[in-house]
Amino acid sequence: MPIILRRSQVPVKQPIKISRIDNLIIFLVCILISIISSYKLLLISPLNIADIFSWFLTFIEILISSGVLILVSKKENPTISSRQIFLIITLLLAVQATKLALASTISPLSMIIPPALIISQGMGTITALAWVSIASLIWPDPEIVINNNLFFILLVCASIVSLLGGRIRSRAQLLQLSIFVPIGSFLSQWILIGKDKISLINNKQDFVLANGDIFSDSLLLAIAMLFTILFIPIFESIFGLLTKARLLELADKEKPLIRRLSLEAPGTFEHTLLICGLAEEATRMIGGDIDLIKTGALYHDVGKLHAPNWFIENQDGSKNPHDELDDPIKSAEVLQAHVDEGLKFARKNRLPKPIANFIPEHQGTLKMGYFFQKAKEKNLDINEYYFRYKGPIPQSKETAILMLADGCEAALRAMNINASDKEALKTISNIIYSRKKDGQLDDSNLSKGEIFLIKRAFLNVWKRIRHRRIQYPTSKNNTFS
Ligand SMILES: [Fe+2]
Ligand SMILES: [Fe+2]
């Protein structure tokens, strides 16, 4: 019976919900991309069946490529929204249209690299690389032949931007990228293409100013990249993109919501800081997204702002309102409210979805054991259902780590300063084991090895806490530190 109850409460891993209308729009844009990219094949006269067949093959090929691009982006970002998919394919559509209109005047570098920067920043390296390969390979006008060397430089530069764009952590580094990539492209074009041009063009001025020459092309690329960086914050808010720079901005402790937490719920704030430490160390150990978990951890309990003194960490020994209420079911509702209110705060403060996900998932469908026991004392038949959080259980490794850190934090803080490493590890292992047994980690994809590493990471943080709590011997005359 308990297993059935648990299963019924654990939501199945849900695929991202994209409405039918959004799906239809996305599909229509993909069709449009395929038409734009292939219709020139039909403009041959006389047209024979072989030509129509080859057009049809190209059309299907582009349609499938667009589909694969969407699948790759969904795989890399399980929480991707329809708006973000729309952004990826609209950028592809824009590039194909630009190629038709301006292929003879604008260098392919300026057309493909700036969108790759947006996609790598917002959706990750793999999606950006997939986008780059499709955008570089499909040329709508069969008459335009790209120089092989230029194509090679395009692929290298776009790949570098995609790889670095997914990792860059500040706007300053983005600026550096927008300067060094054009310089790199200029030098490589000079070496691989420019030499031929110099021998062909006698007048030096022609070499610098001629249409499609490498200097103006690289300058245009630099300008296009700088403009893209300027517009990235706008893309972030319109399409809900979560770039590294945005994550770091959200992790700023001077943000009003976090300031409120530190003033109105100081106990929760302290708990949050300690959890950040635990979660960060564990995520580093398993190679997860550290910036994501640091920011997610900072906001995971903001919902406690709705009633700070109902949570033990903020009570400082004074009266416990739960005792006055004396109704375990109502108390459980107050606890659940910290998740519901947290999601409201997230909406009001426009927190990106991957950050908001930490709010319900850190509690999963955990049982509020203390109140359940109290209720059982009054009524033996009470249903466990009222004493479980509504979930969902953690859907990613990061939210699962946060749940485990949340569980271990209080236990580690309460532990005796003289406790041995072995005892601390045992406490950590027991807490993690109980979460695992309860089915809370079922959707998180954490492997046994990763759980082992998480335990070691928590132990390391515990050692650090213990070290901090040991008082240093100081003499009166020794005031330096
Ligand atoms: Fe919580
Ligand atoms: Fe918490």
Side-chain angles (χ1 to χ4, degrees):
M1 187 61 190
I3 292 173
I4 296 168
L5 187 68
R6 177 168 71 72
R7 286 259 163 91
S8 68
Q9 285 169 349
V10 175
V12 187
K13 190 162 191 167
Q14 294 204 338
I16 27 163
K17 278 183 201 147
I18 294 181
S19 73
R20 275 189 180 178
I21 295 175
D22 287 347
N23 265 330
L24 185 69
I25 296 172
I26 290 167
F27 182 66
L28 287 178
V29 177
C30 289
I31 296 265
L32 200 58
I33 293 171
S34 310
I35 293 173
I36 281 189
S37 313
S38 64
Y39 81 94
K40 285 224 165 179
L41 290 173
L42 288 173
L43 300 181
I44 316 159
S45 63
L47 195 66
N48 58 37
I49 292 189
D51 293 329
I52 296 176
F53 186 67
S54 91
W55 162 80
F56 184 69
L57 276 185
T58 314
F59 179 86
I60 294 293
E61 187 192 347
I62 298 163
L63 197 60
I64 291 174
S65 306
S66 312
V68 168
L69 176 62
I70 294 170
L71 283 181
V72 169
S73 67
K74 281 187 183 175
K75 190 87 191 145
E76 194 179 14
N77 306 277
T79 53
I80 198 166
S81 67
S82 48
R83 268 185 303 168
Q84 291 163 347
I85 296 177
F86 195 66
L87 172 68
I88 300 174
I89 53 164
T90 311
L91 285 173
L92 189 59
L93 178 68
V95 166
Q96 295 306 88
T98 319
K99 280 178 192 168
L100 269 182
L102 303 164
S104 51
T105 42
I106 294 184
S107 145
L109 294 165
S110 308
M111 287 193 267
I112 290 172
I113 292 177
L117 183 62
I118 298 175
I119 295 174
S120 63
Q121 278 269 294
M123 261 80 71
T125 296
I126 298 168
T127 311
L129 285 174
W131 188 93
V132 164
S133 51
I134 294 171
S136 324
L137 288 172
I138 304 169
W139 286 83
D141 195 340
E143 281 169 23
I144 292 173
V145 184
I146 311 175
N147 180 315
N148 268 346
N149 289 339
L150 183 62
F151 187 68
F152 174 71
I153 294 166
L154 167 68
L155 281 188
V156 171
C157 288
S159 305
I160 289 173
V161 167
S162 306
L163 285 170
L164 294 180
R167 290 183 195 177
I168 274 179
R169 300 176 79 233
S170 70
R171 313 255 188 226
Q173 284 175 321
L174 269 180
L175 278 176
Q176 286 172 356
L177 192 70
S178 74
I179 291 165
F180 288 121
V181 167
I183 291 177
S185 86
F186 174 73
L187 292 176
S188 46
Q189 285 183 88
W190 196 351
I191 294 164
L192 292 174
I193 309 164
K195 275 182 183 161
D196 301 342
K197 266 195 168 177
I198 292 168
S199 63
L200 287 173
I201 301 164
N202 297 323
N203 189 338
K204 257 196 170 175
Q205 225 182 346
D206 277 357
F207 168 64
V208 179
L209 298 173
N211 192 13
D213 77 56
I214 59 173
F215 180 75
S216 57
D217 280 357
S218 304
L219 191 66
L220 185 66
L221 175 61
I223 293 169
M225 286 181 80
L226 283 172
F227 266 96
T228 308
I229 293 166
L230 267 181
F231 284 110
I232 280 180
I234 298 173
F235 280 105
E236 283 169 356
S237 66
I238 297 177
F239 296 97
L241 299 183
L242 190 56
T243 61
K244 293 264 176 204
R246 172 121 175 85
L247 267 181
L248 291 178
E249 276 164 16
L250 285 170
D252 179 5
K253 296 193 184 70
E254 289 302 312
K255 284 265 164 202
L257 199 56
I258 304 301
R259 283 293 297 149
R260 259 191 77 188
L261 195 68
S262 72
L263 293 171
E264 294 172 34
T268 305
F269 184 65
E270 273 307 304
H271 153 85
T272 301
L273 293 186
L274 197 56
I275 282 193
C276 280
L278 285 166
E280 187 187 340
E281 187 76 23
T283 312
R284 186 172 291 120
M285 276 271 206
I286 67 155
D289 191 335
I290 294 173
D291 295 314
L292 176 72
I293 201 159
K294 259 165 71 181
T295 314
L298 207 54
Y299 289 90
H300 84 284
D301 268 343
V302 283
K304 287 185 179 172
L305 274 174
H306 84 288
N309 59 330
W310 286 76
F311 296 90
I312 190 151
E313 66 266 23
N314 299 317
Q315 282 166 1
D316 61 21
S318 54
K319 270 186 195 167
N320 185 347
H322 289 286
D323 294 340
E324 282 170 31
L325 186 67
D326 198 27
D327 182 346
I329 292 188
K330 284 251 161 67
S331 289
E333 281 170 7
V334 174
L335 258 57
Q336 171 62 39
H338 97 274
V339 171
D340 303 336
E341 294 296 318
L343 286 172
K344 280 186 201 163
F345 277 121
R347 237 170 284 136
K348 244 188 248 164
N349 289 271
R350 301 183 60 131
L351 291 184
K353 183 130 197 327
I355 298 298
N357 284 346
F358 281 89
I359 295 171
E361 289 178 26
H362 86 275
Q363 295 293 172
T365 53
L366 281 175
K367 189 160 71 180
M368 305 165 197
Y370 176 75
F371 292 116
F372 181 53
Q373 281 309 322
K374 277 209 139 187
K376 255 189 151 181
E377 284 166 17
K378 291 184 177 180
N379 174 10
L380 265 179
D381 294 332
I382 190 86
N383 193 335
E384 202 185 80
Y385 173 80
Y386 299 108
F387 298 92
R388 275 192 183 268
Y389 284 98
K390 289 183 201 153
I393 57 171
Q395 301 290 303
S396 69
K397 291 184 181 183
E398 283 81 7
T399 52
I401 289 176
L402 192 74
M403 169 187 271
L404 301 178
D406 202 40
C408 292
E409 186 269 339
L412 286 181
R413 204 206 302 236
M415 226 148 91
N416 190 319
I417 197 167
N418 298 318
S420 66
D421 290 357
K422 221 177 163 188
E423 284 171 291
L425 191 61
K426 202 173 170 222
T427 310
I428 295 166
S429 299
N430 285 343
I431 292 168
I432 295 181
Y433 177 70
S434 71
R435 301 284 187 274
K436 195 169 156 38
K437 205 174 146 221
D438 196 28
Q440 301 294 329
L441 305 181
D442 287 0
D443 285 353
S444 66
N445 282 333
L446 279 177
S447 67
K448 269 188 181 168
E450 284 168 332
I451 291 178
F452 174 79
L453 289 175
I454 292 169
K455 285 182 199 167
R456 303 303 304 187
F458 287 175
L459 182 68
N460 289 344
V461 178
W462 149 247
K463 284 185 194 168
R464 229 161 51 200
I465 300 169
R466 186 176 54 187
H467 184 75
R468 216 182 291 153
R469 275 165 41 184
I470 295 172
Q471 286 204 331
Y472 293 106
T474 48
S475 71
K476 274 181 189 170
N477 300 329
N478 182 3
T479 48
F480 61 85
S481 55

